[in-house]
Amino acid sequence: MSTSLEGRTAVVTGAGRGLGRAEALELARLGANVVVNDFGAPGRDGSGAASAAPADETVAAIVAEGGRAVAHYGDIADLDTAGQLVELAVEQFGGLDILVNNAGILRDRMVFSMTGEEWDSVIRVHLRGHFATTRAAAGYWRDRAKREGGPVYGRIVNTASEAFVGGSAGQPNYAAAKGGIVGLTLSCASALARYGVTSNVICPRARTRMTEDVFTGTMAAPEQGLDPLAPEHVSPLVGYLASPAAERVNGQVFVVHGGLVAVLGQPPVLARFDTAKDLFTVAELDDLLSPFYADRTPGDGYANVAVLGLRHGD
C-alpha cells in the first residue's frame, strides 16, 4: 500500500529542533502539509533585530524543499491551545489527518532529590501535552466520522522512551510520564479504531538538544559518518506509521534508533499462584512467593533492561 502523504495534513509538536524537526521534514517530503508546533514565538536579539522562532526555521526548511507548512508557537499542554492547533490545520490546509506528539523536556534527578516543580513540569509537558492534543484531534475525527457516516483517516504517533520499560534510575518523572503515554496510546488505539484512527507509540533513542547530556562517553557522536543516534534514523518510522500503508498497525510500541526497529510484545505472566482456600493468608503467600523469588536473579521482574542493549547488527 502507498506511503505517500499527498493531500494529508499533519501536526507535529516540539518540531522546532531535533527529533520533531526531522519528523516534520520527513512528513513534508512524503507530501504532507505540516503544522509545526514549538513553544516560543519570534522575538528580538540583543541588538533589537528580529529573530526567528525555532518553529519558523523548520517551516522555512520545509518550504525551501517545496513543501507547505505553517508555524504554531503555543503551549501544547494547554487544552485551548491544543484545540487551536487542530483549528489551524483545518483553516490552513482543510483538515487534519496525522498527529505526531513529540514535545518534551528533561528535569533529571534521583527521586529523593527531585522537587515538586521538576516532577510537575515533566509530567505536564509530556503526559498532559500528549493528552491535550490527542483530545482535540480525537474529537475532530469523531465528529467528522459522524458527519461522513463512517471511518475517516486518522493517525496518532506518540513518543515514549525506553526509560519507561527499563526503569531509568535518575529519571523518575520522565519514566513515569513515558509509561503514562504508553497507557494513553493503548487506550486510544482501542477507543478510536471504530473511527478509522490508529494510535501507536515510538521509543526513540536520538541525540537532540534535550538529550545531549545523556549520550556521552562511549555513545558520543562519531567524528565521521552518520551518527547512529541521529534523529534521521527515527523519522522514517514516523513517516511509515502516518501513511496508508500502516492501516493495520494499531496499539503498537516500537523502539527505534540507529538502523534498528524493534516491536515490543506483551509482558509475559511469569508465574501464577492460586490459594488453596477461599482467601490468601500472608503465611500462604510466603510459602508460595518466597521460594519463587529465592531462585530468581535480583531485579529480574517487569522491567526489561535488555531492550537498552539493542544495537543495529548485533
Side-chain angles (χ1 to χ4, degrees), residues 11-16 20 23 35 37-38 76 85 99-103 133:
V11 165
V12 184
T13 70
E23 293 167 344
V35 178
N37 164 267
D38 204 278
I76 45 85
L85 259 177
L99 171 63
V100 179
N101 281 310
N102 167 76
T133 55

Side-chain angles (χ1 to χ4, degrees), residues 84-137:
Q84 292 164 11
L85 259 177
V86 175
E87 293 171 3
L88 182 59
V90 174
E91 291 169 2
Q92 291 289 318
F93 304 118
L96 175 66
D97 304 286
I98 301 154
L99 171 63
V100 179
N101 281 310
N102 167 76
I105 61 173
L106 287 179
R107 298 291 186 269
D108 292 353
R109 201 178 298 275
M110 297 297 287
V111 67
F112 42 74
S113 302
M114 183 162 288
T115 68
E117 189 281 329
E118 289 167 338
W119 174 271
D120 291 343
S121 61
V122 168
I123 297 296
R124 183 181 188 278
V125 174
H126 287 273
L127 186 52
R128 183 182 169 91
H130 274 63
F131 157 70
T133 55
T134 299
R135 177 179 182 269

Side-chain angles (χ1 to χ4, degrees), residues 15 62 190 208-209 215 265 279:
I62 291 173
S190 297
T208 66
R209 190 177 67 160
F215 299 123
L279 188 68

Side-chain angles (χ1 to χ4, degrees), residues 27-311:
L27 295 175
R29 292 184 189 113
L30 291 171
N33 311 307
V34 186
V35 178
V36 177
N37 164 267
D38 204 278
F39 188 68
R44 300 281 176 178
D45 61 21
S47 65
S51 60
D56 293 318
E57 295 173 355
T58 300
V59 168
I62 291 173
V63 172
E65 293 186 7
R68 301 176 68 200
V70 63
H72 180 275
Y73 315 109
D75 172 10
I76 45 85
D78 178 80
L79 291 178
D80 290 338
T81 301
Q84 292 164 11
L85 259 177
V86 175
E87 293 171 3
L88 182 59
V90 174
E91 291 169 2
Q92 291 289 318
F93 304 118
L96 175 66
D97 304 286
I98 301 154
L99 171 63
V100 179
N101 281 310
N102 167 76
I105 61 173
L106 287 179
R107 298 291 186 269
D108 292 353
R109 201 178 298 275
M110 297 297 287
V111 67
F112 42 74
S113 302
M114 183 162 288
T115 68
E117 189 281 329
E118 289 167 338
W119 174 271
D120 291 343
S121 61
V122 168
I123 297 296
R124 183 181 188 278
V125 174
H126 287 273
L127 186 52
R128 183 182 169 91
H130 274 63
F131 157 70
T133 55
T134 299
R135 177 179 182 269
Y140 166 79
W141 286 320
R142 180 199 60 185
D143 292 346
R144 187 173 152 196
K146 288 182 177 181
R147 289 196 308 270
E148 298 181 8
V152 297
Y153 189 101
R155 299 285 189 269
I156 300 172
V157 182
N158 288 332
T159 307
S161 167
E162 294 163 288
F164 99 90
V165 71
S168 183
Q171 297 180 305
N173 48 2
Y174 184 71
K178 293 307 190 182
I181 287 168
V182 172
L184 171 66
T185 303
L186 299 181
S187 175
C188 291
S190 297
L192 302 179
R194 72 186 70 178
Y195 304 115
V197 180
T198 65
S199 181
N200 295 288
V201 61
I202 64 170
C203 300
R205 197 184 301 174
R207 195 185 315 280
T208 66
R209 190 177 67 160
M210 189 178 81
T211 62
E212 61 186 355
D213 294 331
V214 176
F215 299 123
T216 58
T218 59
M219 300 187 75
E223 295 182 2
Q224 296 181 338
L226 180 63
D227 184 356
L229 295 177
E232 288 75 16
H233 286 295
V234 176
S235 53
L237 178 59
V238 173
Y240 167 74
L241 293 174
S243 76
E247 66 176 1
R248 291 177 57 84
V249 184
N250 191 30
Q252 302 299 301
V253 181
F254 299 89
V255 172
V256 53
H257 60 82
L260 178 149
V261 172
V263 182
L264 300 190
Q266 300 172 355
V269 177
L270 297 180
R272 171 180 164 170
F273 302 95
D274 292 278
T275 180
K277 301 178 181 179
D278 293 331
L279 188 68
F280 272 117
T281 64
V282 173
E284 185 183 14
L285 288 170
D286 177 36
D287 290 339
L288 294 171
L289 293 176
S290 294
F292 174 75
Y293 283 104
D295 295 332
R296 297 187 66 81
T297 303
D300 180 12
Y302 186 84
N304 183 358
V305 295
V307 73
L308 303 177
L310 292 176
R311 296 290 188 277

